[in-house]
Structures are given as structure tokens and as C-alpha cells.
Amino acid sequence: MRRIISVFTALWLAALPALASDNTELVTHFTLDNGMDVVVVEDHRAPVVQHMVWYRAGSADEPKGASGVAHFLEHLLFKATDNMEAGELSATVAANGGRDNAFTSYDYTAYFQRVAADRLELMMQMEADRMVNIRLTEADIATERDVIIEERNQRVENNPQSLFNEQMGAGQYLNHRYGVPIIGWMHEMETLDLNDALSFYDIYYSPNNAILVVSGDVDPENVRMLAEKYYGAIPANPALPERLRTIEPPQRAERRLTMRDPRVAQPYVSRSYLASERDSGAQEKAAALTMLSEVLGGGQTSVLTEKLQFESQIAVYSGVFYNGVSLDDTTFDIVVVPSVGVTLQEAEDAMDAAIAEFMQTGVDSEQLDRIKMQLRASQIYARDNVDRIANRYGRALTSGLTVEDVQAWPDLLQAVTEDDIMQAARDVFDRDASVTGWLMRPEEGVLQ
């Protein structure tokens, strides 16, 4: 039956390359005189627009001792400005039938509104205002600091998996800020003050450190006119520092950690390896790692799923994860959730055995062809979502990539060979650059 489904899927997907040529993204890219980059992606199928401003500043750009300030400032930008009351921006978006929000990651902070296309100018006017005119009070600081502390309590402190992930990250990065959680360490979040927030704002929130991404039912020349009117009037920050990061030293010893928590519902094994990110003009290694993650753990016919779930029934779940959109070295991660009665040691041994066998037997060519067709299909359908389109370009450009890199990526994935994948596996599976973790319930008889 699986063979029949694969053949049927292949026949159905065979028409997708032609479909892709009819749905090529219409992208316009330019830079304002003050250094602000602008990306416009046209899609005139619905009268909707996604307006996003991305700053090349995330948690990895924070000063030591002030972890969480990037995310803290994201919250504070919804307070008052010279021209708006606190909460007025979101209220205006809602009153115009749209939605807005913001998010912070290691390499960027982004703000967005999704509204009817004829409301684009209003969005630019408000977003440009808070780029330069934020007005914070000590009361704002106290209120919002309590908010982010409660957010950490809910999302991290009350979630053993989140706590475990923090420990894994801290173990993976010996010197880089990627080892510090985006939301921040609790003891440092509790001391964040007005000076911390304004200092980060003054350094990084400027047009020459920002990218405007507009996707949807828009005309590029109209976007240019509006961008010049609202964002172009803001002067560049001549003191914007070069984006320097601490560099990881050579990793010469594998690390292991065990976390026990009575709240753990399902114990599991996790392993991360230090891995190359997507580099501008040289994305081939990242493309091979992306395909390796799909081959090993990307679906029901992946190597680990076949070996650990179907054949041996050692695991109830296995997954492999790699996201190359990162300014600096990222991670290649494997997770195995053992079946009832299977120990974490048995699950880890089975995972290692499956990987070792894969290194001997190599990539199944039919599986690789199927993965490539599925990726092509998902890339085509992603063009139906103005939110995903804007996010793809924003995340890429804030992580050191270019518009040309984003456009080249689908073809690079299609060009990956079996040999490329095996070379990527040999490069990334370095135990000296790995962290293996067990998340488990307290063992009976072990003192806590």
C-alpha cells in the first residue's frame, strides 16, 4: 500500500514544477537613503497586506547581565509614544479589522500588522512613530517587568520540557549568547530597568538597523512612496555598532545532562549537535543538512521512524530538527520518546544504532525524490499565505541572508545529492560537539 501511495503522490506532484513557474513570487527590494531595507512581495489575489518591521537585534545582541531585555523592549513598544497613547496602536489595528503582534528571537525582533490593503499607510505612520518616539515611564517598567516574569513562570518555570531545553542550550554553547534563553534568566529579568530598555532602544531601533517587509495586495512604487514619507524621514543612527558576536571555541568533549522533574509526563532522549547555518552565497551545506533532517526524521517514511517506531517499536515518537536560518552556528537536533517499558538508555542505544546503520547504507534514492517533491509542493502552497511570505524574507535578512539567497533556496534543495547528504552527516555527527540529555521523572530511591 505504501508503494502505491508513493507512486500516486509522485504522479500528482509531477505537475508542480510547471505550477511553480506560474506562481513565482514578485519581489521588489530597495534601500532608503537612511539605510532602511525594504522588501515588497506582491500577491493580488486578496485585498490584504502584511506590514512588518524587523530589527537586526535579538536576545543574542543583549549585553551580559541584561538577558531578556530584547523581549522586554518588545513589550514596552506597545506603550505610549509622542503621538499615541499606550495600547492605541493595537486598538487602531483592531478597529480597522486587522490583527497585530510582535515576537523576539535570538537574531531579530519583529512587529507586524495584517490589515486590509487600503490601511497600509496608517500602519506605516504608527510603526514609524514608535521606531523613534517611544515614551516610557517607571510605571511602565514595573508593570511590564511583572508581565514578562509571569510569562516566564507560565511558559518555562511551569514546563519541565522548557526548562530542559534551556539546559540543553546552555550546554551546547560554551561561549555564544545562543546559550542564553530568549526570554532571559529569571534572576536577570527581575533587575531589568528603564535604563536597560532605553539603552537597547537607542542603540538598535533605527532605520539603518531595520527591514520593512510588505507582502500582499500592494504596488511596489506606492510602498516606496509611503516608506520614504514615513520611515525615510527618520535619521539613521551613525553610532550603530557593528554586529559582533562572541565566537564558539573548539568543542572537544561531548556533554551529557539528566534532568529529573516529577511533572514530566513523558520521558525522552534529546541530542543536539553544533551545525552550520545558512551563509549568504554559500547555502549548499545548509541545504544538505536540511535534506538530512528530512531523510532521518521528516515523516512516516523517515529512517528513524521506520527503525524505531515501526520495526523495533522502541519509540512512540522520533524527530529530527534543523533550522539553518541563523546568524551564527545553529544546532541539529534529534528527539526519541521511548515506548512504555523501554528505558532511556535503550532508546538512546537504538537511536545510535539506527544512525550508525544509516551511515553504512546511505540514502534511499526513492525516498530522496519523494522528499524533494514534497518540499516543492509545500513551498508553492506557502505562497498563499502573506504572513509566511513576509516571515520568510524577514527572518532571512535579519540573519545575514539576502533576497537572492531566499529566492535561490528552493533550487538549492532540489540540487542536493545523496553524496551531499552523507557528507553533511559525516560533518555534523561529531560527538565532541554534541549534548545528550535525558528528561525523566525522579527515580525511586534517589534523593532530591
Side-chain angles (χ1 to χ4, degrees), residues 69-91:
V69 70
H71 174 246
F72 185 37
L73 181 59
E74 173 213 312
H75 279 243
L76 291 169
L77 248 70
F78 290 87
K79 300 298 183 180
T81 70
D82 286 349
N83 304 299
M84 293 187 293
E85 298 296 329
E88 182 179 343
L89 187 149
S90 293

Side-chain angles (χ1 to χ4, degrees), residues 2-19:
R2 181 175 298 162
R3 175 69 174 175
I4 293 173
I5 293 173
S6 297
V7 172
F8 177 80
T9 302
L11 290 172
W12 173 68
L13 293 173
L16 288 174
L19 180 61

Side-chain angles (χ1 to χ4, degrees), residues 3-307:
R3 175 69 174 175
I4 293 173
I5 293 173
S6 297
V7 172
F8 177 80
T9 302
L11 290 172
W12 173 68
L13 293 173
L16 288 174
L19 180 61
S21 64
D22 294 333
N23 288 271
T24 303
E25 290 169 350
L26 300 175
V27 181
T28 303
H29 177 217
F30 54 90
T31 303
L32 303 181
D33 291 342
N34 59 11
M36 186 174 188
D37 288 319
V38 183
V39 177
V40 183
V41 187
E42 296 178 69
D43 184 348
H44 301 287
R45 288 175 290 178
V48 175
V49 64
Q50 178 101 343
H51 171 265
M52 304 192 76
V53 171
W54 298 71
Y55 293 95
R56 296 181 180 91
S59 65
D61 300 293
E62 298 165 342
K64 289 185 176 180
S67 65
V69 70
H71 174 246
F72 185 37
L73 181 59
E74 173 213 312
H75 279 243
L76 291 169
L77 248 70
F78 290 87
K79 300 298 183 180
T81 70
D82 286 349
N83 304 299
M84 293 187 293
E85 298 296 329
E88 182 179 343
L89 187 149
S90 293
T92 302
V93 172
N96 282 272
R99 65 181 182 89
D100 75 311
N101 213 326
F103 48 88
T104 304
S105 190
Y106 291 110
D107 298 316
Y108 53 78
T109 308
Y111 302 82
F112 73 88
Q113 302 88 34
R114 186 173 185 179
V115 293
D118 62 358
R119 299 295 189 271
L120 176 60
E121 181 171 6
L122 179 59
M123 299 304 107
M124 285 201 192
Q125 179 183 352
M126 293 190 297
E127 195 66 75
D129 181 40
R130 67 175 172 179
M131 178 183 285
V132 70
N133 291 324
I134 192 71
R135 292 293 174 262
L136 301 177
T137 67
E138 290 291 352
D140 293 331
I141 296 298
T143 300
E144 215 58 39
R145 186 171 54 217
D146 288 343
V147 170
I148 62 170
I149 288 172
E150 180 58 25
E151 183 178 342
R152 181 179 168 90
N153 282 329
Q154 292 181 357
R155 295 186 178 184
V156 182
E157 301 295 339
N158 291 331
N159 187 333
Q161 183 176 341
S162 295
L163 290 170
F164 177 66
N165 289 338
E166 282 189 346
Q167 297 300 307
M168 289 288 293
Q172 181 68 80
Y173 291 98
L174 306 178
N175 193 45
H176 197 281
R177 293 287 292 182
Y178 287 168
V180 177
I182 295 168
I183 199 170
W185 298 117
M186 179 68 87
H187 68 285
E188 294 182 350
M189 295 169 63
E190 292 172 338
T191 67
L192 292 174
D193 58 22
L194 180 61
N195 182 66
D196 292 323
L198 290 179
S199 176
F200 200 81
Y201 179 76
D202 291 341
I203 292 172
Y204 295 111
Y205 278 57
S206 60
N208 51 321
N209 197 46
I211 302 161
L212 170 65
V213 182
V214 180
S215 61
D217 187 19
V218 291
D219 172 69
E221 286 307 311
N222 185 54
V223 173
R224 184 192 296 270
M225 179 192 69
L226 294 175
E228 289 175 345
K229 177 180 179 180
Y230 292 104
Y231 295 110
I234 302 173
N237 175 14
L240 181 67
E242 186 179 354
R243 202 172 192 189
L244 298 176
R245 299 282 183 82
T246 51
I247 299 174
E248 275 295 295
Q251 298 194 359
R252 297 191 173 98
E254 64 176 297
R255 281 129 283 157
R256 300 189 63 89
L257 61 91
T258 301
M259 180 174 167
R260 299 179 177 88
D261 192 306
R263 299 170 297 178
V264 171
Q266 178 64 67
Y268 64 87
V269 179
S270 178
R271 180 178 296 152
S272 66
Y273 296 88
L274 201 63
S276 299
E277 77 283 6
R278 283 170 62 179
D279 291 321
S280 182
Q283 301 182 89
E284 288 80 7
K285 287 184 179 180
L289 284 168
T290 299
M291 299 305 288
L292 174 65
S293 70
E294 292 293 325
V295 168
L296 287 179
Q300 294 300 302
T301 60
S302 64
V303 170
L304 292 186
T305 300
E306 289 274 8
K307 296 294 182 183

Side-chain angles (χ1 to χ4, degrees), residues 382-396:
R383 294 175 182 149
D384 292 334
N385 188 316
V386 294
D387 176 74
R388 291 179 65 183
I389 292 171
N391 271 273
R392 188 166 71 252
Y393 282 94
R395 289 175 60 240

